[in-house]
């Protein structure tokens, strides 16, 4: 509880820093007191390499390792190991920008000229995860059905944690595809980005919380 409480506090501080950074022009970005929050790559949570993204990936990686260890305790817990593998795959994808690269290679804006380059890349990345997800979900379902009741209960809880983020992420991409440029600028774009970033970070924290509970509070799993 103390670990997760501390993590939630850090989540809140990083989200505040993100909002503070994005509000720079209105707050007086030229003032000296604002200087520490000027660097976009460091404080803007929507950019690769930001502290917020790295902290989220650290949580996700830790959750993946813990679940992998819990799942390898016995054959009745293999679905937890599969969940751990999926989470570590997500970390690798973010660090290597795999789905972004695939989305760019697909160049869907050539097939659908009305799509902007960014929207086309996002949609291509979504298609990549749809195809990959069918394989991953198939494996998870197979292991889920073969495992014990305790492991299945934990698997359902992990799924319930992930679903809201998936819905937000997919909705963000689809709305951006239907309304190109909607999330490019303006207050609405900032709010949408903040919602997406917040849900993603909180999902990672909740996954870490569940993995800690499975490992230390429910060691029978």
């Amino acid at each position: 509880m103390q670990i997760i409480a501390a993590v939630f506090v850090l989540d809140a501080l990083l989200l505040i820093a993100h909002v503070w950074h994005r509000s720079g022009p209105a707050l007086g970005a030229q003032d000296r007191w604002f200087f520490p929050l000027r660097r976009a790559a460091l404080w803007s949570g929507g950019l690769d390499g930001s502290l917020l993204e790295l902290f989220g990936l650290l949580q996700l990686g830790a959750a993946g390792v813990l679940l992998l260890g819990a799942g390898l305790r016995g054959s009745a817990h293999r679905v937890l190991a599969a969940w751990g593998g999926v989470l570590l795959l997500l970390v690798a994808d973010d660090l290597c920008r795999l789905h972004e690269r695939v989305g760019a290679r697909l160049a869907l804006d050539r097939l659908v000229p009305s799509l902007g380059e960014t929207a086309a890349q996002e949609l291509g990345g979504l298609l990549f995860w749809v195809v990959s997800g069918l394989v991953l979900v198939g494996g998870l379902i197979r292991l889920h059905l073969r495992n014990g009741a305790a492991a299945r209960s934990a698997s359902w809880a992990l799924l319930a944690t992930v679903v809201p983020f998936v819905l937000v992420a997919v909705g963000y991409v689809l709305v951006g595809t239907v309304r190109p440029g909607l999330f490019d600028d303006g207050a609405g774009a900032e709010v949408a980005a903040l919602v997406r970033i917040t849900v993603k970070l909180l999902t990672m924290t909740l996954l870490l919380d569940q993995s800690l509970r499975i490992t230390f509070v429910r060691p029978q799993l």
Side-chain angles (χ1 to χ4, degrees):
M1 291 294 293
Q2 293 176 341
I3 292 174
I4 294 302
V7 171
F8 271 119
V9 170
L10 289 174
D11 286 346
L13 291 175
L14 288 171
L15 288 169
I16 291 171
H18 166 80
V19 174
W20 195 4
H21 166 80
R22 298 299 298 177
S23 303
L27 295 174
Q30 303 305 317
D31 294 342
R32 290 185 178 181
W33 60 268
F34 193 82
F35 180 75
L37 296 178
R38 287 183 187 176
R39 296 184 57 187
L42 189 63
W43 298 108
S44 182
L47 298 180
D48 294 324
S50 67
L51 286 178
L52 192 150
E53 182 193 53
L54 293 176
F55 186 55
L57 291 179
L58 179 63
Q59 295 180 57
L60 195 63
V65 171
L66 290 172
L67 289 173
L68 194 62
L72 294 178
R73 292 173 183 168
S75 59
H77 311 139
R78 290 290 186 259
V79 68
L80 299 179
W83 272 106
V86 169
L87 299 187
L88 292 176
L89 178 61
L90 292 174
V91 172
D93 172 71
D94 262 8
L95 291 176
C96 299
R97 295 178 54 81
L98 181 59
H99 74 274
E100 287 94 339
R101 293 181 180 182
V102 172
R105 287 288 184 90
L106 290 176
L108 296 179
D109 50 328
R110 297 179 183 176
L111 299 176
V112 185
S114 61
L115 287 177
E117 183 178 351
T118 301
Q121 181 176 330
E122 292 273 6
L123 184 58
L126 177 60
L127 291 177
F128 164 79
W129 274 117
V130 168
V131 175
S132 302
L134 291 175
V135 177
L136 295 174
V137 170
L140 283 171
I141 292 175
R142 185 176 181 182
L143 289 171
H144 179 93
L145 295 176
R146 292 183 175 184
N147 281 185
R152 290 200 303 272
S153 176
S155 179
W156 279 119
L158 291 168
L159 178 62
T161 302
V162 170
V163 165
F165 168 68
V166 172
L167 293 177
V168 170
V170 172
Y172 186 90
V173 173
L174 293 180
V175 172
T177 301
V178 175
R179 295 282 303 275
L182 181 63
F183 298 138
D184 290 346
D185 197 10
E190 292 293 342
V191 171
L194 179 61
V195 170
R196 184 186 187 188
I197 292 168
T198 302
V199 172
K200 181 178 181 180
L201 184 61
L202 293 182
T203 298
M204 292 175 174
T205 302
L206 290 174
L207 288 172
L208 176 60
D209 178 42
Q210 291 191 37
S211 66
L212 286 170
R213 292 177 184 277
I214 290 171
T215 303
F216 299 109
V217 180
R218 301 171 64 189
Q220 72 276 13
L221 282 174

